[in-house]
Amino acid sequence: MQKLIAKYGLAAHLALLAVAPLFLFPFVGRATVSAVVLWLSLQALIWLVLAPSVLQGERLRHARQRVLTATFHDPLFWALVVIDCLAAVRAINSGIALAYDAEVSSWAISSAKFPIFPGSVGDEGVFPFVAALAASILLMGCRHALGRSARLSFLLLASSLAGLAAVVMHVAVYVGFPGVRPFVEFAAGSFNFIGFVFGLYLLTGIVALFVVLENGWNAVILLPILSIGGNAAACFSFAPVYLVLAVLALAVILRAYMVFCTSRVLQPLGKIKIFLVGLAAVILSALLVMVFLPENTLAARLAPFREMVVFPDSFWNVRRVVSAMAFKSWISHLWTGTGLGSFVFDFRFNATAEDWQLLPRGAVNVPNGWWQLLAERGIVGFVSFLLPIGFLTVSYVRRLVDSFSDWSMPHPASLLAPILLVLLGAAGFVDYSLFRPEVQMICWPVLAISALAFPKKKKVEKNG
């Protein structure tokens, strides 16, 4: 039992931390979600320090020393410390709001408490800070504290828990719980969809199926049904058609590669299991969508597929106008931006009379997330967002190059990094879903796991 806990206990805690917001958001406010995730982060950190994976020939104290040494010698760890401190400053430095200036009888945007530092509107910066802290713990845990099988079990547990959250959200939609209404009723001008997060977990769930079959974990063979079927249903129910099609295309590529790998690795019985699990996942996804979605919502989701309309007619005009506003906002606040959550105010000061005819009522985000990232966070925030991804991409490329000497078939988990990077990069040009904090909490650890999926290059000892 102690061996089992030491091997998979940390992976289970990290998976629960990654998925926790998906369970909480439909039922409680952002403040409660932030508090719960913060406490779960503390618990995961304690497990990371006290109970990391014990490698062959190690004792627990040696494993702890190895993890701490590797973490403190990792440049990415210190970059994450700076990023988390920056996020904390942004959360504390609030005060940005619409204010009426009686002297000139006009409205203006009040600055943050300390205008020279990055700021935020109200409590908009609190959950992004908590999510950045949690993502740092998840990343360091998957990068240094988990062994190979524990890392792969993290993919299985996280995607399965996300699938369970998807089922819970569909049931909440069915009973009419008000907290899930924003997820199914796409507000005009939001361009921010939680279904994108479930799409990411769908991709990890496909790899999780291979992990289960590869390792012979027959006792948990039903979990991939939940991780694939539940997340696929949530992606369809809570994301627009262009995100659904993008995720679906990449999922087909990933599954095709997984099937190719299993044809070389697994016995015929394993191939039958893949077919049966895939069939069960499709049935589960169809049942969740057809039974739990309201009839009018289901019709609205199916209409773009029937009419072959990926983007609404006015989408590109709105994108052009709003992107120009974001550019204006960024130029006037080049380094630190106008503040997190402040772009909703920029509409009122940068839109012309012609623009208001195009803009959807209640617009809060830019259908080009990269421009909104620059506008609200400036160059400093833009760099801090891309810095961990850059580090992880470099690590991935190094492991990829080292693997060229080994002519074996790469593990399907090694494809997650390029697939996620393509999806994230493309999604950033059409909406703001990429910058949801929950995306950060799954992408960082998955990118790390994908790089580590390549076999480590063995050092050749030179004689005398």
Side-chain angles (χ1 to χ4, degrees), residues 118-355:
S120 60
V121 176
D123 61 352
E124 284 291 323
V126 175
F127 182 62
F129 158 66
V130 172
L133 188 63
S136 300
I137 295 172
L138 290 165
L139 173 53
M140 288 295 104
C142 293
R143 189 172 166 92
H144 296 301
L146 294 181
R148 181 182 183 277
S149 59
R151 288 194 297 269
L152 297 177
S153 69
F154 169 82
L155 295 179
L156 172 63
L157 293 170
S159 59
S160 301
L161 287 171
L164 180 60
V167 174
V168 172
M169 289 182 66
H170 278 87
V171 174
V173 170
Y174 181 76
V175 300
F177 195 83
V180 295
R181 188 175 301 163
F183 300 146
V184 293
E185 297 176 359
F186 297 159
S190 68
F191 305 109
N192 190 347
F193 310 99
I194 199 170
F196 181 73
V197 185
F198 287 103
L200 300 178
Y201 280 105
L202 168 61
L203 298 174
T204 61
I206 293 173
V207 176
L209 173 58
F210 180 85
V211 169
V212 169
L213 298 175
E214 177 191 33
N215 293 278
W217 296 343
N218 295 321
V220 293
I221 192 66
L222 296 180
L223 289 183
I225 299 176
L226 187 61
S227 61
I228 296 174
N231 289 310
C235 182
F236 174 82
S237 300
F238 308 127
V241 60
Y242 57 85
L243 288 181
V244 174
L245 291 176
V247 171
L248 179 62
L250 294 174
V252 168
I253 294 173
L254 187 58
R255 181 169 175 79
Y257 181 76
M258 185 199 71
V259 172
F260 178 70
C261 288
T262 53
S263 67
R264 299 168 60 93
V265 175
L266 299 179
Q267 299 297 324
L269 182 60
K271 301 173 186 177
I272 296 175
K273 289 180 180 179
I274 286 183
F275 173 77
L276 293 178
V277 169
L279 179 62
V282 171
I283 294 174
L284 174 62
S285 178
L287 287 176
L288 288 175
V289 169
M290 297 176 65
V291 173
F292 293 102
L293 282 188
E295 187 175 345
N296 58 340
T297 301
L298 180 58
R301 294 291 182 275
L302 292 175
F305 293 95
R306 293 171 178 167
E307 301 169 5
M308 300 298 293
V309 176
V310 178
F311 294 98
D313 295 336
S314 61
F315 177 83
W316 298 108
N317 288 330
V318 171
R319 181 179 181 274
R320 173 181 54 81
V321 169
V322 182
S323 297
M325 294 181 194
F327 177 76
K328 289 181 183 179
S329 300
W330 171 56
I331 288 298
S332 59
H333 301 81
L334 199 62
W335 291 101
T336 58
T338 58
L340 195 61
S342 66
F343 194 73
V344 65
F345 302 144
D346 294 336
F347 284 109
R348 305 191 180 191
F349 295 93
N350 292 326
T352 63
E354 293 78 9
D355 295 340

Side-chain angles (χ1 to χ4, degrees), residues 358-389:
L358 286 174
L359 291 177
R361 189 178 297 273
V364 293
N365 290 308
V366 184
N368 186 335
W370 298 112
W371 273 123
Q372 184 167 347
L373 179 67
L374 275 171
E376 292 189 343
R377 308 187 196 187
I379 294 177
V380 174
F382 190 86
V383 172
S384 68
F385 179 84
L386 292 179
L387 192 60
I389 297 177

